[in-house]
Structures are given as C-alpha cells and as structure tokens.
Amino acid sequence: VSFLLSASHGFVSHRFATTRTSRLFNSKWDNLEDEDDEPYKVSPDMTYLPRNVMRQNQHFLDISQASGPTHDIYVRNPSNDVFWFCGKVARVSDVSLEQCVARQWPLVEEHAASLRPLELSSVKRGELEIWTAPGDSELDVAYNRPDLAMQKMERDLPDTSSGRKIRNTMVGFLAEIYDDDEQGFRTWRTEEGLPANPEASVEELEKVLESMGGMDDNELDEEEQEQSEGV
C-alpha cells in the first residue's frame, strides 16, 4: 500500500510506501544512552515507529492545509559540510519553529539516519545537526541563492519542560522517502548555513537535478515560472 503525500513540492518527491519502508524502523537508537551525559528521554509518541511517523505525517498535512507555517528540514553530520534534505515540519501559530523541531527531534533524527545510513547512522545520537530552511525552498537551495541562510536547531531548549507540553497534534513531520532510483537531495553549506558554492546557473542546476533524479525539464520550467510570477 502506498500513500502519496500531497505536500510534495519542487523537485523532491515525497512518497510513503509501507511495502518498502520496514527497513527504516529497525533503529536501536531509542534504547541507547549517551555515554557521558544523562540519558535522553524519548517521548513514546516520538519513538521511531511506523504509527508515529504516519501520525505526524497526517498532522503535517492537517496543519499545512490549514495554512500553518511549514519549514524544510536538513540533517548534517557535523564532520562535513553536506546537508541532507530529510523532510518538512509544520506547526500551529502558537508553537515556535524551535519548539516544533525539539518536540519531534527523535523522529527527525532517526529518520535521517535511516534514510542516509552510510552518511548519518554512525553519528552518536544527539550529535547530528538539524537545520531548517523556509518551507518549499528546495529550488532556491539548489540554486545556492546567497540570501538563503539555514537556521540551526537545538535539541534541548532552555525551558525543555515547555517543549514537552506541546501536544503532538500541534506539530507535524513529513518524512522524506526516496523512489527506487532517487539519490537524495543534498546541499553544501557553511557553518553559518550559507551556500558553500557560488550561485548556480540554470544549466548547472539541470545537471545537478539530473544526477539526483530530480525534476525533469518541464517541471523545472514550471517551478521557475511560478517563482517569477510570485506564486
């Protein structure tokens, strides 16, 4: 059974297929403890299980369809400058972006490690970095627009208790799932979240998209037309 997620935007496809994703939920991170710190307590509703991922997916759709703010999610191994697109989050207006990400941190972190096992799964829990970009800004990110700076999130907020009081219905997470031949969208960024490479031309972007299994030419033209019209 496959569920096509209606929040697909830009050149990244979002597809949740229960027949293909059981491998994503065999992570043992929920049972691990930091060696040097107090154990990080994962809320049961954010444990990396299919029912939690699908519930937060539905919450994302509900919130975004009600015009709640959305943000793109990128996850980085701090040992390099590659930021991997791992999905999107949504929140009601009473919840800050920082609270939204902190509340769903275990779900986002472990999904990223399962999505990119070679690049991210070896990193100790809590040490992966989660960064955000404006919602549906993948094309601007791919073009390396110099005015688009990503924002680094924190797992533990100064007042962590307030974050845990946020009901899971007030936030949502649309997990990125790859098609069989998709290489995954990533970007190279500085420590400040700015592009590490010069702004790309249309021809350069087409080559990048082709290598990642992204938009075809018609989709790219449509996206550029929308942006030029201010849609």
Side-chain angles (χ1 to χ4, degrees):
V1 180
S2 296
F3 300 92
L4 288 178
L5 307 183
S6 63
S8 177
H9 180 86
F11 53 84
V12 183
S13 62
H14 305 283
R15 184 184 301 270
F16 192 94
T18 56
T19 56
R20 294 194 290 113
T21 55
S22 59
R23 65 181 177 82
L24 294 176
F25 300 101
N26 61 2
S27 172
K28 297 181 180 179
W29 279 14
D30 290 330
N31 299 321
L32 294 180
E33 297 182 358
D34 294 336
E35 295 177 359
D36 302 323
D37 304 316
E38 290 296 322
Y40 176 68
K41 299 186 185 304
V42 177
S43 174
D45 63 350
M46 293 299 162
T47 300
Y48 193 57
L49 296 172
R51 64 175 181 271
N52 291 337
V53 174
M54 288 188 284
R55 183 195 61 247
Q56 293 310 114
N57 164 73
Q58 186 59 51
H59 291 169
F60 176 94
L61 297 178
D62 292 342
I63 294 170
S64 61
Q65 289 168 5
S67 300
T70 65
H71 310 267
D72 295 347
I73 293 291
Y74 294 80
V75 178
R76 174 199 180 199
N77 180 336
S79 67
N80 58 55
D81 60 355
V82 182
F83 290 54
W84 292 94
F85 177 84
C86 292
K88 299 171 181 281
V89 295
R91 57 190 174 87
V92 301
S93 58
D94 292 341
V95 175
S96 69
L97 172 58
E98 292 80 3
Q99 289 174 321
C100 174
V101 174
R103 179 69 171 87
Q104 301 178 102
W105 190 285
L107 215 58
V108 174
E109 186 178 43
E110 295 196 24
H111 180 72
S114 295
L115 191 66
R116 306 299 314 181
L118 294 179
E119 297 87 359
L120 301 178
S121 65
S122 62
V123 180
K124 182 181 176 182
R125 187 182 65 170
E127 293 184 0
L128 285 175
E129 295 178 0
I130 297 179
W131 293 70
T132 62
D136 301 332
S137 62
E138 296 101 317
L139 193 60
D140 285 336
V141 170
Y143 270 117
N144 293 322
R145 302 295 192 203
D147 58 343
L148 196 158
M150 293 186 184
Q151 182 179 352
K152 186 178 179 181
M153 298 287 103
E154 298 294 336
R155 185 181 74 170
D156 299 307
L157 300 179
D159 184 6
T160 54
S161 61
S162 64
R164 290 171 183 169
K165 290 177 182 177
I166 296 171
R167 299 192 304 275
N168 60 41
T169 56
M170 302 171 72
V171 295
F173 173 52
L174 180 65
E176 169 74 338
I177 298 294
Y178 296 154
D179 289 326
D180 292 336
D181 59 347
E182 193 172 350
Q183 299 300 309
F185 176 53
R186 63 273 196 190
T187 180
W188 287 260
R189 296 260 150 179
T190 69
E191 294 290 338
E192 293 74 35
L194 294 168
N197 298 313
E199 188 168 5
S201 66
V202 173
E203 293 76 15
E204 291 170 333
L205 179 60
E206 288 177 347
K207 292 179 181 179
V208 172
L209 295 176
E210 182 179 356
S211 69
M212 295 182 185
M215 279 184 181
D216 59 29
D217 291 340
N218 290 334
E219 290 174 318
L220 181 59
D221 291 341
E222 290 174 2
E223 183 74 13
E224 290 175 335
Q225 182 66 26
E226 287 181 358
Q227 291 207 354
S228 67
E229 295 174 353
V231 176

